[in-house]
Amino acid sequence: MPAKPLTSAQIRAARALIRWSAEDLARDTALGVTTIRRAELRANETSLTAANDLAVRRALEAAGVEFIDAAVGGDGPGVRLKRETPKGR
């Protein structure tokens, strides 16, 4: 099942968790800074194409972010840092 599109709040929160600027994310995804900032300005859904959404997701996940989908009848979507797995496992 494909991942749900990221929300603007998830992208902002993910960047904050790993202390990346919009410029850092743009550089890592090969997207323009304007594209990143425009996506983050939306109230909920971003203006990203499916390909750009995937590029942002992959870059942030590679940097240690885990995206959390909205729970049924519960909290909305969110982000957290991935748990580190012990070495040797």
Side-chain angles (χ1 to χ4, degrees):
M1 184 168 147
K4 292 183 180 183
L6 299 173
T7 67
S8 56
Q10 282 179 301
I11 298 170
R12 289 190 309 270
R15 284 197 310 101
L17 280 174
I18 58 174
R19 296 184 177 160
W20 275 15
S21 66
E23 290 82 5
D24 294 328
L25 182 55
R27 187 175 25 259
D28 210 63
T29 58
L31 299 175
V33 175
T34 304
T35 300
I36 301 298
R37 290 193 174 136
R38 189 178 322 116
E40 292 182 345
L41 285 175
R42 302 299 281 265
N44 195 10
E45 292 183 13
T46 70
S47 58
L48 295 172
T49 64
N52 289 351
D53 184 88
L54 184 58
V56 168
R57 178 182 291 274
R58 286 184 176 164
L60 292 170
E61 286 177 340
V65 172
E66 183 177 357
F67 292 96
I68 306 163
D69 288 333
V72 176
D75 297 330
V79 296
R80 64 182 169 209
L81 292 176
K82 290 181 186 174
R83 293 184 186 167
E84 302 246 353
T85 56
K87 292 186 179 184
R89 286 193 170 191

